[in-house]
Amino acid sequence: MSAGTIVRQSDSTMDGDTTRRIEELLDGGFSAASALGEEIRHRVSSGDFEWTTLLGAELARRASRGGEDPSAHVFLLDRLQTALAASEGRQSLRALLCLPVSVQAGGPAQTRAERRLAHLVALGHRPADIVPAVYGEQLGSAASDEFKACLLQELVLRGVAVPEHPVLQFFGEALVAEGHPLAPLPLYLLPAERALLRPPHAPPDWTWALSPAAVERQSDQPGLRVSPEMRRRGGAADPAEITVAESAEAMSAAVRHWVEESNGVVAAQEFWSASAVSPDDFAVVFERLPLTAWPAGETRVRLHPASSGRVLRVLLTAAVRSPAYGNARFGAYGRLAAWRSLGGLVGAAPDAPIGHTARLVEQAHWFVADPSSDWFCLVAWDLAVAVLRAGGQEIAVLTATDTD
């Protein structure tokens, strides 16, 4: 018997012992599952990635045989993936890619898991490690195209320069040729998306996402005061509602999951004015719009002017986050939904390239309003965005709310 054979047998014995220990923990009920969660943290922090691979395989095996509540398996796999994603380095990334994406193979559950995993990988690992492991010829090349497509967009949202990585550029071009749903998204940040980049002196916990506590202050600019002079100038404008189902659907894209998966309510409306409205007088015209979110008799709140970048952050935060009930969209499909909303708000054609939509976004004047009426649930899912399109004759307003 060769020395190599002895080593392999020893490794096999160790693997068997580890697997039996994992089985004991998994069979031990709630207290053992809690201990397993702590064990995951310890093993990952100590670099024992063989153990994590064995645990992932055992979770998948148990889920595939059925007859057990899968929620515990889902929880433990999520915890294992999160721990490995937060542990920077190629070894932990390779271990993460060796895990099953989901304990429920195929279908919507796996698709959601792939999108979540792409988000975690982009958040916790460096492009220098991700590119060869996922898109190169190494272990991660077995990852699904859906995972790779989502990860590519997650990297774009984090400011990664795709042209510096030819394999990323090539994969992105392949998605266009295949007609993948994410293919319309550019492989670079558009002007409004530069607000997603970390400012030079931002605190460590800075994020472009707007926290639920900020929903009443979604603009970073002072509110507009309506003066008598503004009322005199804006009195001639008398916008009429022209909303059609197709444009309302497009405007609502960023918050559609609030309605489809939760208790959300959305109102998307368009108006046309025979006389052009000046951005300086928009607040007084906004007061007179027949808006669903502010029924007759309710006092309108003060509007705040907003940059295109600020509005992009409002919509992207809404698109990426989970509603009160249901699933998050994460970065890739959240970005797609946010740009569909922006396209609807600025009146872009449904099939318009996103680059064209981005130019219209920069030509428009943007506002946000505090969600102050009884129409809003005021829990943690509220937004109110208004836009005066280029030319001053067209106005669009998107309001949404959700509750548990």
Side-chain angles (χ1 to χ4, degrees):
M1 184 179 293
S2 68
T5 303
I6 294 173
V7 170
R8 284 194 294 272
Q9 284 186 339
S10 175
D11 289 346
S12 177
T13 300
M14 290 174 62
D15 287 352
D17 291 343
T18 301
T19 300
R20 281 192 293 275
R21 174 57 181 156
I22 289 172
E23 291 174 347
E24 289 173 1
L25 287 168
L26 288 171
D27 291 333
F30 178 78
S31 61
S34 298
L36 189 53
E38 181 60 27
E39 185 81 0
I40 289 171
R41 186 197 64 78
H42 169 71
R43 294 283 184 168
V44 171
S45 63
S46 63
D48 189 353
F49 302 125
E50 291 184 10
W51 184 91
T52 63
T53 301
L54 290 171
L55 174 58
E58 179 61 17
L59 289 171
R61 186 186 71 81
R62 286 174 175 247
S64 66
R65 73 187 185 188
E68 297 183 36
D69 180 4
S71 59
H73 304 145
V74 172
F75 170 78
L76 289 170
L77 180 60
D78 283 356
R79 187 154 184 176
L80 187 57
Q81 290 172 334
T82 301
L84 286 169
S87 176
E88 189 176 283
R90 294 196 181 187
Q91 285 187 304
S92 61
L93 178 57
R94 289 168 180 160
L96 178 59
L97 295 171
C98 284
L99 297 179
V101 174
S102 170
V103 296
Q104 298 171 284
Q110 177 157 338
T111 300
R112 287 193 298 269
E114 288 174 330
R115 296 174 184 179
R116 172 184 176 273
L117 186 61
H119 173 77
L120 291 176
V121 169
L123 192 64
H125 289 270
R126 299 180 306 142
D129 295 330
I130 292 171
V131 172
V134 178
Y135 299 91
E137 299 301 324
Q138 299 181 14
L139 178 63
S141 60
S144 74
D145 282 350
E146 179 66 14
F147 168 74
K148 292 179 181 179
C150 291
L151 180 55
L152 176 59
Q153 285 299 323
E154 294 279 1
L155 293 173
V156 172
L157 286 173
R158 281 160 180 77
V160 172
V162 171
E164 294 179 5
H165 304 278
V167 67
L168 291 182
Q169 187 77 38
F170 177 80
F171 182 77
E173 292 168 355
L175 293 179
V176 174
E178 295 167 7
H180 190 278
L182 296 175
L185 291 171
L187 301 182
Y188 53 87
L189 292 178
L190 294 158
E193 293 176 318
R194 291 170 189 157
L196 306 179
L197 297 175
R198 177 183 292 276
H201 304 293
D205 61 348
W206 182 89
T207 173
W208 55 258
L210 299 175
S211 67
V215 294
E216 295 183 6
R217 298 181 300 278
Q218 289 181 336
S219 174
D220 51 0
Q221 300 184 43
L224 297 173
R225 295 184 179 276
V226 177
S227 66
E229 179 62 18
M230 288 171 62
R231 294 193 187 281
R232 185 188 65 77
R233 293 195 308 262
D238 188 21
E241 184 163 3
I242 57 170
T243 309
V244 295
E246 292 78 9
S247 60
E249 182 179 3
M251 286 189 279
S252 304
V255 288
R256 188 167 299 136
H257 58 317
W258 293 15
V259 177
E260 294 176 347
E261 300 185 33
S262 190
N263 300 315
V265 182
V266 177
Q269 298 173 266
E270 280 185 297
F271 303 90
W272 181 83
S273 174
S275 57
V277 177
S278 166
D280 294 336
D281 301 329
F282 183 77
V284 72
V285 176
F286 182 81
E287 285 184 339
R288 300 201 307 271
L289 296 178
L291 296 174
T292 302
W294 282 276
E298 294 224 19
T299 302
R300 297 292 171 89
V301 298
R302 185 184 306 167
L303 276 181
H304 299 254
S307 65
S308 61
R310 192 70 175 187
V311 171
L312 183 278
R313 287 177 63 186
V314 170
L315 294 174
L316 187 57
T317 298
V320 167
R321 289 179 61 209
S322 299
Y325 297 97
N327 300 286
R329 286 181 174 172
F330 302 106
Y333 284 90
R335 186 189 187 201
L336 184 63
W339 277 103
R340 283 178 175 165
S341 278
L342 286 169
L345 284 163
V346 296
D351 57 350
I354 289 181
H356 173 70
T357 299
R359 288 190 290 273
L360 294 179
V361 166
E362 297 309 313
Q363 294 166 8
H365 297 274
W366 295 94
F367 306 84
V368 296
D370 292 343
S372 60
S373 73
D374 290 340
W375 186 87
F376 295 95
C377 299
L378 295 179
V379 178
W381 300 271
D382 303 278
L383 66 82
V385 172
V387 59
L388 179 63
R389 296 172 183 168
Q393 290 184 279
E394 297 177 357
I395 296 167
V397 180
L398 172 65
T399 52
T401 188
D402 190 20
T403 182
D404 53 0

